[in-house]
Amino acid sequence: MTVVTPAPIDQPEDEEMLVPHSDLPENNHQPMEVVAQPETANNVENQPVEDPPSSRFTWRVDNFTRMNTKKYYSDVFVVGGYKWRVLIFPKGNNVDHLSMYLDVADSSSLPYGWSRHAQFSLGVINQIHNKYSVRKDTQHQFNARESDWGFTSFMPLSELYDPSRGYLVNDTLIVEAEVLVRRVVDYWTYDSKKEAGYVGLKNQGATCYMNSLLQTLYHIPYFRKAVYHMPTTENDLPSQSIPLALQSLFYKLQYSDNSVATKELTKSFGWDTYDSFMQHDVQELNRVLCEKLEHKMKGTVVEGTIQKLFEGHHMNYIECINVDYKSTRRESFYDLQLDVKGCHDVYASFDKYVEVERLEGDNKYHAEQYGLQDAKKGVLFIDFPPVLQLQLKRFEYDFMRDTMVKINDHYEFPLQLDLDRENGKYLSPEADRSVRNLYTLHSVLVHSGGVHGGHYYAFIRPTLSDQWYKFDDERVTKEDIKRALEEQYGGEEELPQTNPGFNNTPFKFTKYSNAYMLVYIRESDRDKIICNVDEKDIAEHLRERLKKEQEEKEHKKKEKAEAHLYTIIKVARDENLMEQIGKDIYFDLVDHDKVRSFRIQKQTPFNLFKEEVAKEFGIPVHFQRFWLWAKRQNHTYRPNRPLTPMEETQSVGQLREVSNKVHNAELKLFLEVELGLDLHPIAPPDKTKDDILLFFKLYDPEKEELRYVGRLFVKSTGKAAEILSKLNEMAGYAPEEEIDLYEEIKFEPNVMCEPIDKKFTFRACQLEDGDIVCFQKSTSFEGEHLHYDDVPSFLEYVHNRQVVHFRSLEKPKEEDFSLELSKLHTYDDVVERVAQQLGLDDPSKLRLTPHNCYSQQPKPQPIKYRGVDHLTDMLVHYNQTSDILYYEVLDIPLPELQGLKTLKVAFHHATKEEVVIHTIRLPKQSTVGDVINDLKTKVELSHPDAELRLLEVFYHKIYKVFPRSEKIENINDQYWTLRAEEVPEEEKNLGPNDRVIHVYHFTKDTAQNQMQIQNFGEPFFLVIHEGETLAEIKARVQKKLQVADEEFAKWKFAFISLGRPEYLQDSDIVSSRFQRRDVYGAWEQYLGLEHSDSAPKRSYAANQNRHTFEKPVKIYN
């Protein structure tokens, strides 16, 4: 490991996805399974803690292409006294790019609430030309929830694995990390209301985009006032009424001392939790919310508020130049979308917005009665609204890359915006010039991160004073104007030198935090909009409701604060045992969370508490006897002994200490009440050491039911045989009915339930107070098919039963059916039950795949035939247990399939424009020749003697022609395509000076300040003859590809070596270019056909599970 001082960071790319890495294709921030990696040679403890706050770490990854782990950690290195490491996914984290993150190496052992901030860059070094090294940078607040951060799409795998590009040399990858640590103030003790005078909003998942918008709207007082005046009633529920939920939220923001939750509001939108956790487009949310409110305000005193505040109008016009014809269309807007790319500031964007477009040449305008005419087309503003919302187009679609990218360019916005400038150049002729369109900046909404994720917050000055505030979810801080404006312009930031003596090159970072929405308020409307909003604006019922809510909250808080003064007493009675056993529980006697509980002051004498029990249950004090519960060594929980008269004189608090040694505020009791013949309470019988209290459960094997039937005192010297008639009476059986008795001993980790010998005494059977006896009829149920014919087998079944939800592997999101199975079921038991359910004769034709609890998707590897012992092994995923399995029905038995290798081969027909994918299944020891022979029986050949070959195609290049003798066992078709085609006759009859060359399609991509070649389409081989000119070769290529003359005329031909094109003229002799042999492989030199890629975009086959598209926002109410 090498650690040195800061070095320059090359021009970074700007489109990247900045998210905590996760095995999920979407950026739902969920933890992923973490596999502990041993710390390697460098011993972190021996390094000096007094590191410079920024350092560079270099990591050489050897045997890179042979790595077969999904992810890989670097050694640990120290920066700013903290331990870090780099995490890479060599084959991409569910994307066709290298994925790379910076990870807090010791996150699992750090104290609760830890947090640290770092600016960092990650780089892959180009070992041939350093200037082509790829570096990306960002900054992040690391914490327990987001302990790693970085780039899921760092660089395309096609570039990385292409040896000609220079990123992999001798199968070694060199990764560099530069880290600068900034100290942060304690996040957890900060009080926003006290420090800033405002409170924040809680983030319920990935909702910070909503929080920043809600804070902005709340701080437009006129808007808040209108929301308060929307009619709502005390019968409305906030979770079902958007107006009430918004009123409630705004009221709490105005009067609460702590951060406010948004759950009621998102519920009122009709969002399920999945929606709330999806990062929506904030502009879309703004529009939908305003439209919803506009609709709800109709017919009320505040009708039209949304239009009054936010609606402006512009005029689209087309004006003919040579004839007197003009077409205009008036349109309204609630916000304006301004270009960032190519614009220096807001004024430049407005200039671009009203830019006049000339319609001429092929693009003439068809004017009514005048035909095609040269014309001018543009937009001018009729009026601007009092509150002007500007959406900055920081995200745009890049057609070259077929993906969304984020524009992090430097872009300025003024504190005062004059839209009347240059004699009203933005205004239409009909605009009212008496209105002064001078605006003051009210809020700046910021996005920090990349295109597929990141964080939102807002800078707002609520009263338009000089004081700005930053609203970042729950935290509100005072900020200066520089932080709110200049630091949100984007572009690059230069960090101050920490060690000027070492290296004078500045440490530069692209600023991934920048403004994406601005809110301006018109000066002339300022007093009207920044108005006073107080209690009298809030409906009485709303104040009452929220006061009540507040009181409940205070009451709970008080209870919590006073908890140490009280004891919770939980009283279990026979009635609870009757209700619960056989329904909610089967083992032990009661669920204490479902019994009556009393909150009693600790100093209250227990006898006084008994009076409260008498009132509650109607049982006189002298008929009550209380038992203490005890946890036994085998983890069961049973009544242990009655309270002594002496103990009953003590206080509740003292008793609680007697009952459990652990510090617990609860006292658990069993209330024993004896009933006389008239079923009224009577005094409990005297209990001697010889008396044992037993509890009885009855099992019915026919109904498969277990229930509680009561309790009895028995003498320790008595025998079970003596109480049989009493038990029959309790069960409702005839007095002479033969019954079998069992003792329920324990159920964790496994069930222990043993027969009781009726001839032995209770003492000899080791029975004691609180023991449970289960009994059942001992009649043999011959001829009847009973699943569980005795108590032990039934309890075993209950303990191990598991409902499993099965889904078809083809439709992994849809539940198909559920089966109740046992955790102890073997592999054969499980597939047999599934086969039965599906009506399948042969269970061996089923293949099951386990579920990944983190990604909520099937795991990539199915379960091998009899590859696990029990159902539990199928359901376990790291430390979690799932209840989902996926199934598929195979056409041959699974053991047979496992002995075969399955390959997907794309067959390219020699003359027809079609590609058919064939699945070839052969024994693993077969060769490529066997694949070709098998394929010949399935495909249509151009003539019977045609010869076939098998190629490896990866990212539109041919990497290999497989020798017929190669074994198929090691061929991997997961990352690249296997292509089969006929060998053309001309290749079979090569002259001594003929060459076979590679021909690839390409386009040029200059988006990253360096020219990159992007290959696309189907690569192919071509025979070239000595002395043949490009013109002759072009004619053959055109004929082979059947391209129309008009299209072909636009194509350019280039000789490409090591990724650099040299364009060819028609008279050039092509064979002279392909002489050199000093290259890594034949694909390093090829004939390139440059033209636009007109084929529809398709995600790469190995990458079909990627979902990077946003769901449109819907508010359902």
Side-chain angles (χ1 to χ4, degrees):
M1 180 186 96
T2 51
V3 178
V4 295
T5 42
I9 292 180
D10 281 19
Q11 181 64 36
E13 294 177 73
D14 60 357
E15 82 283 13
E16 275 323 317
M17 175 170 177
L18 281 150
V19 290
H21 81 265
S22 76
D23 266 346
L24 301 164
E26 304 163 60
N27 72 349
N28 302 350
H29 294 185
Q30 294 195 11
M32 73 179 264
E33 62 266 36
V34 175
V35 185
Q37 299 280 338
E39 281 193 15
T40 37
N42 60 310
N43 184 348
V44 173
E45 305 309 323
N46 297 338
Q47 298 196 12
V49 177
E50 285 307 308
D51 254 6
S54 66
S55 301
R56 176 188 288 173
F57 167 69
T58 304
W59 177 25
R60 292 178 66 88
V61 189
D62 296 321
N63 303 321
F64 184 76
T65 59
R66 295 205 286 282
M67 288 166 71
N68 55 6
T69 51
K70 185 170 184 193
K71 58 183 185 185
Y72 196 60
Y73 289 96
S74 74
D75 293 351
V76 175
F77 58 98
V78 172
V79 182
Y82 296 136
K83 297 179 182 180
W84 306 91
R85 59 186 175 175
V86 177
L87 164 63
I88 58 170
F89 285 68
K91 296 285 192 297
N93 183 7
N94 294 318
V95 292
D96 52 6
H97 284 62
L98 173 72
S99 305
M100 185 152 55
Y101 310 89
L102 181 66
D103 176 60
V104 175
D106 52 351
S107 59
S108 56
S109 59
L110 290 174
Y112 178 76
W114 69 270
S115 147
R116 64 182 65 160
H117 185 274
Q119 283 188 274
F120 63 93
S121 84
L122 298 172
V124 168
I125 302 305
N126 190 304
Q127 298 166 57
I128 296 176
H129 297 287
N130 191 43
K131 67 173 182 176
Y132 291 130
S133 296
V134 180
R135 285 192 178 88
K136 304 199 169 179
D137 47 62
T138 181
Q139 52 185 320
H140 183 58
Q141 183 83 28
F142 291 85
N143 54 45
R145 211 172 53 179
E146 293 173 354
S147 62
D148 49 52
W149 195 258
F151 307 91
T152 296
S153 299
F154 184 80
M155 66 181 292
L157 292 177
S158 57
E159 289 178 22
L160 180 67
Y161 281 88
D162 181 341
S164 68
R165 294 292 177 94
Y167 299 109
L168 274 180
V169 172
N170 299 328
D171 207 13
T172 295
L173 181 80
I174 299 177
V175 169
E176 273 188 2
E178 305 211 15
V179 182
L180 181 137
V181 175
R182 285 182 166 173
R183 301 282 171 204
V184 286
V185 291
D186 182 10
Y187 196 91
W188 305 95
T189 55
Y190 185 83
D191 182 336
S192 292
K193 186 80 167 197
K194 202 162 101 189
E195 301 292 334
Y198 297 100
V199 297
L201 289 167
K202 289 180 178 150
N203 186 339
Q204 63 172 94
T207 56
C208 41
Y209 65 93
M210 179 177 78
N211 291 354
S212 54
L213 177 68
L214 290 173
Q215 287 283 17
T216 304
L217 292 172
Y218 167 80
H219 286 293
I220 300 172
Y222 190 93
F223 178 83
R224 191 191 331 158
K225 204 179 187 100
V227 166
Y228 284 152
H229 284 275
M230 289 175 79
T232 52
T233 71
E234 59 267 34
N235 301 326
D236 292 350
L237 284 174
S239 60
Q240 291 165 16
S241 155
I242 293 177
L244 185 56
L246 208 51
Q247 287 173 346
S248 166
L249 184 85
F250 282 3
Y251 182 88
K252 287 172 189 169
L253 280 175
Q254 195 162 346
Y255 293 105
S256 172
D257 290 334
N258 303 306
S259 57
V260 180
T262 56
K263 273 207 171 111
E264 276 186 345
L265 184 67
T266 53
K267 270 191 186 160
S268 76
F269 291 172
W271 286 7
D272 54 21
T273 51
Y274 174 69
D275 274 320
S276 319
F277 281 71
M278 295 234 343
Q279 293 262 16
H280 290 309
D281 177 338
V282 74
Q283 179 189 4
E284 202 181 354
L285 173 68
N286 188 16
R287 285 186 179 173
V288 175
L289 182 60
C290 284
E291 278 167 20
K292 208 83 202 169
L293 287 172
E294 190 181 324
H295 175 69
K296 301 266 180 192
M297 287 175 174
K298 280 204 171 116
T300 73
V301 289
V302 288
E303 182 173 353
T305 300
I306 301 291
Q307 291 97 315
K308 270 184 220 154
L309 278 178
F310 303 117
E311 189 176 52
H313 299 90
H314 50 50
M315 174 187 85
N316 292 305
Y317 67 86
I318 297 177
E319 189 173 357
C320 292
I321 294 167
N322 304 318
V323 295
D324 184 16
Y325 181 84
K326 187 173 182 179
S327 157
T328 60
R329 191 174 76 251
R330 176 189 170 102
E331 282 184 358
S332 67
F333 62 86
Y334 281 172
D335 54 26
L336 292 173
Q337 290 204 49
L338 300 184
D339 282 323
V340 169
K341 203 177 177 98
C343 298
H344 171 255
D345 62 7
V346 172
Y347 289 124
S349 299
F350 268 100
D351 291 348
K352 196 169 175 185
Y353 205 97
V354 299
E355 211 168 51
V356 177
E357 186 189 341
R358 300 285 294 230
L359 304 179
E360 53 197 11
D362 292 345
N363 197 21
K364 284 186 177 179
Y365 173 63
H366 192 282
E368 287 171 33
Q369 83 250 28
Y370 294 109
L372 290 173
Q373 292 290 331
D374 289 347
K376 294 186 299 188
K377 177 186 177 188
V379 176
L380 287 169
F381 290 92
I382 299 166
D383 55 52
F384 291 106
V387 179
L388 180 64
Q389 301 184 97
L390 303 178
Q391 301 281 350
L392 309 182
K393 284 154 81 172
R394 285 280 181 194
F395 299 97
E396 66 173 43
Y397 186 75
D398 183 326
F399 287 94
M400 289 296 287
R401 292 198 191 88
D402 185 27
T403 184
M404 292 296 287
V405 294
K406 185 177 177 197
I407 312 295
N408 289 304
D409 299 0
H410 182 87
Y411 179 88
E412 295 182 10
F413 43 91
L415 199 56
Q416 282 221 314
L417 178 69
D418 187 354
L419 294 177
D420 290 333
R421 74 189 197 116
E422 294 181 27
N423 204 17
K425 67 192 251 185
Y426 306 134
L427 300 175
S428 72
E430 64 196 272
D432 180 353
R433 302 281 169 143
S434 66
V435 176
R436 179 75 178 96
N437 292 304
L438 181 65
Y439 285 85
T440 299
L441 186 61
H442 172 266
S443 35
V444 178
L445 279 73
V446 175
H447 176 266
S448 167
V451 65
H452 297 296
H455 185 58
Y456 294 85
Y457 46 90
F459 290 94
I460 303 172
R461 44 181 193 156
T463 59
L464 296 182
S465 68
D466 290 341
Q467 182 61 63
W468 285 88
Y469 298 86
K470 180 183 178 184
F471 292 83
D472 186 352
D473 286 342
E474 293 166 51
R475 189 179 169 86
V476 186
T477 48
K478 288 184 174 179
E479 301 290 349
D480 60 29
I481 189 166
K482 185 171 183 288
R483 290 296 296 275
L485 267 73
E486 288 165 46
E487 291 196 13
Q488 307 317 319
Y489 289 164
E492 285 194 333
E493 178 179 11
E494 211 166 275
L495 294 171
Q497 283 294 103
T498 46
N499 291 10
F502 278 90
N503 189 331
N504 289 320
T505 322
F507 199 43
K508 278 189 175 179
F509 273 99
T510 292
K511 291 163 75 173
Y512 281 94
S513 299
N514 37 50
Y516 71 95
M517 180 174 163
L518 306 171
V519 178
Y520 282 92
I521 289 176
R522 189 158 46 202
E523 273 293 329
S524 54
D525 295 299
R526 178 182 182 142
D527 294 342
K528 188 174 81 182
I529 287 163
I530 309 294
C531 57
N532 188 38
V533 184
D534 51 32
E535 285 250 338
K536 65 177 186 297
D537 289 303
I538 300 158
E540 181 63 35
H541 77 86
L542 184 65
R543 273 182 285 174
E544 278 307 308
R545 177 195 291 267
L546 296 170
K547 213 155 121 199
K548 213 154 123 197
E549 260 180 45
Q550 204 51 40
E551 280 166 10
E552 272 173 34
K553 220 176 185 176
E554 290 301 323
H555 179 63
K556 276 185 186 160
K557 201 171 163 185
K558 186 167 175 256
E559 270 192 6
K560 211 171 177 182
E562 294 174 353
H564 64 287
L565 304 174
Y566 288 82
T567 293
I568 303 291
I569 304 180
K570 292 187 168 177
V571 177
R573 305 185 296 142
D574 277 327
E575 287 82 346
N576 302 124
L577 276 60
M578 295 272 193
E579 280 163 24
Q580 293 184 20
I581 292 171
K583 295 184 191 71
D584 302 340
I585 61 167
Y586 290 86
F587 300 99
D588 268 353
L589 293 169
V590 76
D591 176 350
H592 291 272
D593 290 337
K594 292 180 179 169
V595 304
R596 177 73 172 86
S597 69
F598 300 82
R599 187 170 182 262
I600 307 292
Q601 280 203 323
K602 282 184 178 171
Q603 64 265 42
T604 309
F606 189 78
N607 283 320
L608 255 178
F609 163 68
K610 287 175 78 169
E611 288 176 18
E612 195 158 327
V613 172
K615 264 189 257 164
E616 178 70 23
F617 296 134
I619 296 156
V621 169
H622 51 289
F623 294 159
Q624 300 172 14
R625 177 155 65 193
F626 286 94
W627 289 66
L628 289 170
W629 292 78
K631 187 163 194 165
R632 297 183 175 180
Q633 277 181 329
N634 63 12
H635 304 297
T636 57
Y637 205 60
R638 307 285 173 80
N640 183 39
R641 63 174 181 85
L643 289 176
T644 63
M646 181 67 192
E647 284 172 331
E648 292 199 357
T649 62
Q650 293 180 341
S651 73
V652 162
Q654 288 167 311
L655 259 183
R656 201 267 307 147
E657 281 159 28
V658 171
S659 82
N660 55 12
K661 308 289 176 280
V662 218
H663 184 68
N664 187 334
E666 290 181 354
L667 172 61
K668 289 175 181 153
L669 300 171
F670 174 71
L671 171 57
E672 177 203 339
V673 178
E674 296 299 326
L675 297 177
L677 295 173
D678 59 356
L679 298 181
H680 282 86
I682 56 171
D686 290 340
K687 180 183 181 324
T688 65
K689 278 187 178 173
D690 200 27
D691 293 309
I692 303 172
L693 177 64
L694 297 178
F695 292 82
F696 294 91
K697 297 178 184 178
L698 172 69
Y699 174 56
D700 182 341
E702 291 173 356
K703 294 182 182 166
E704 291 180 15
E705 274 179 8
L706 186 75
R707 63 188 176 92
Y708 174 68
V709 286
R711 56 186 162 71
L712 290 175
F713 280 105
V714 298
K715 294 288 179 194
S716 61
T717 51
K719 293 178 183 173
E722 296 161 15
I723 61 165
L724 296 181
S725 59
K726 181 68 187 159
L727 292 183
N728 278 328
E729 185 190 325
M730 286 160 79
Y733 293 162
E736 302 308 314
E737 183 71 61
E738 279 281 316
I739 53 177
D740 293 334
L741 277 56
Y742 300 87
E743 184 194 355
E744 179 193 313
I745 301 168
K746 63 168 190 157
F747 56 94
E748 286 299 348
N750 43 19
V751 173
M752 202 168 161
C753 179
E754 296 185 347
I756 294 173
D757 193 322
K758 293 178 246 186
K759 301 189 292 294
F760 285 15
T761 64
F762 290 110
R763 182 180 289 148
C765 293
Q766 297 184 338
L767 290 171
E768 57 184 70
D769 281 325
D771 277 343
I772 299 170
V773 174
C774 301
F775 67 98
Q776 67 177 90
K777 284 183 185 180
S778 50
T779 323
S780 64
F781 299 92
E782 283 159 21
E784 291 186 47
H785 179 63
L786 296 173
H787 286 114
Y788 312 103
D789 56 5
D790 60 13
V791 173
S793 63
F794 177 71
L795 290 180
E796 191 71 53
Y797 151 70
V798 168
H799 182 64
N800 290 305
R801 68 179 164 189
Q802 168 78 52
V803 174
V804 181
H805 305 279
F806 286 91
R807 301 173 180 182
S808 163
L809 191 63
E810 288 174 2
K811 296 176 182 170
K813 292 280 176 225
E814 296 171 26
E815 189 174 322
D816 203 339
F817 57 88
S818 298
L819 293 177
E820 189 182 271
L821 305 170
S822 165
K823 292 173 190 166
L824 302 178
H825 271 161
T826 63
Y827 175 89
D828 287 0
D829 294 333
V830 175
V831 290
E832 213 165 286
R833 287 290 306 279
V834 177
Q836 220 174 313
Q837 172 74 25
L838 295 171
L840 188 68
D841 297 336
D842 184 356
S844 72
K845 285 188 179 173
L846 277 173
R847 180 160 65 177
L848 301 177
T849 299
H851 178 69
N852 181 326
C853 301
Y854 299 108
S855 68
Q856 295 295 315
Q857 288 190 336
K859 287 191 191 177
Q861 296 304 324
I863 296 167
K864 289 196 165 137
Y865 180 71
R866 292 182 180 162
V868 295
D869 294 332
H870 296 106
L871 175 65
T872 37
D873 306 316
M874 297 182 184
L875 299 177
V876 71
H877 177 67
Y878 289 89
N879 57 348
Q880 293 200 24
T881 302
S882 122
D883 60 354
I884 295 168
L885 284 174
Y886 303 88
Y887 71 88
E888 55 188 318
V889 179
L890 307 169
D891 54 348
I892 59 170
L894 181 56
E896 205 179 306
L897 179 67
Q898 283 176 190
L900 301 174
K901 172 83 174 175
T902 303
L903 293 175
K904 281 196 165 45
V905 179
F907 177 68
H908 289 239
H909 196 279
T911 51
K912 293 184 187 171
E913 273 210 24
E914 64 176 23
V915 176
V916 184
I917 295 179
H918 292 275
T919 302
I920 307 286
R921 225 187 247 156
L922 292 169
K924 287 182 177 168
Q925 58 276 23
S926 307
T927 63
V928 169
D930 298 325
V931 173
I932 287 170
N933 293 336
D934 188 74
L935 198 59
K936 277 184 174 175
T937 64
K938 299 179 173 173
V939 300
E940 183 190 337
L941 300 172
S942 61
H943 62 93
D945 303 326
E947 196 182 313
L948 293 185
R949 65 179 165 206
L950 192 64
L951 316 172
E952 178 184 289
V953 177
F954 186 51
Y955 283 97
H956 319 288
K957 292 182 179 180
I958 299 167
Y959 278 75
K960 183 174 183 178
V961 179
F962 288 97
R964 289 180 72 94
S965 58
E966 184 164 336
K967 293 265 191 292
I968 65 171
E969 193 167 357
N970 300 321
I971 293 179
N972 183 344
D973 60 354
Q974 190 184 351
Y975 292 107
W976 36 80
T977 309
L978 296 179
R979 176 166 121 192
E981 64 185 20
E982 290 184 20
V983 180
E985 288 304 313
E986 62 171 5
E987 283 187 41
K988 292 184 198 169
N989 308 310
L990 288 178
N993 297 316
D994 290 345
R995 300 282 306 273
V996 177
I997 64 166
H998 291 236
V999 185
Y1000 303 156
H1001 304 269
F1002 77 97
T1003 60
K1004 280 203 310 239
D1005 177 5
T1006 50
Q1008 294 141 7
N1009 295 344
Q1010 59 182 61
M1011 200 273 295
Q1012 297 249 324
I1013 278 183
Q1014 300 282 346
N1015 293 103
F1016 65 91
E1018 293 296 348
F1020 59 93
F1021 290 122
L1022 186 71
V1023 175
I1024 58 168
H1025 312 298
E1026 189 158 7
E1028 197 173 13
T1029 63
L1030 178 65
E1032 292 167 305
I1033 287 173
K1034 276 167 78 171
R1036 289 200 287 127
V1037 169
Q1038 184 178 4
K1039 186 179 174 190
K1040 181 179 173 74
L1041 300 179
Q1042 297 177 329
V1043 185
D1045 290 349
E1046 189 184 343
E1047 170 65 19
F1048 196 70
K1050 299 175 192 169
W1051 287 26
K1052 290 183 193 165
F1053 284 65
F1055 167 70
I1056 298 183
S1057 175
L1058 297 171
R1060 282 181 290 284
E1062 182 190 328
Y1063 288 94
L1064 302 174
Q1065 304 303 317
D1066 281 0
S1067 57
D1068 287 347
I1069 305 296
V1070 177
S1071 57
S1072 63
R1073 295 291 196 288
F1074 286 89
Q1075 295 305 312
R1076 293 203 305 278
R1077 304 278 187 178
D1078 56 336
V1079 285
Y1080 295 110
W1083 64 83
E1084 301 308 339
Q1085 294 187 343
Y1086 61 87
L1087 182 63
L1089 315 180
E1090 185 184 359
H1091 59 98
S1092 60
D1093 179 4
S1094 54
K1097 295 280 185 234
R1098 220 178 41 211
S1099 67
Y1100 189 59
N1103 183 25
Q1104 281 162 348
N1105 289 333
R1106 206 165 27 145
H1107 313 289
T1108 52
F1109 306 107
E1110 290 186 342
K1111 246 169 87 167
V1113 176
K1114 287 196 196 76
I1115 298 182
Y1116 304 99
N1117 259 335

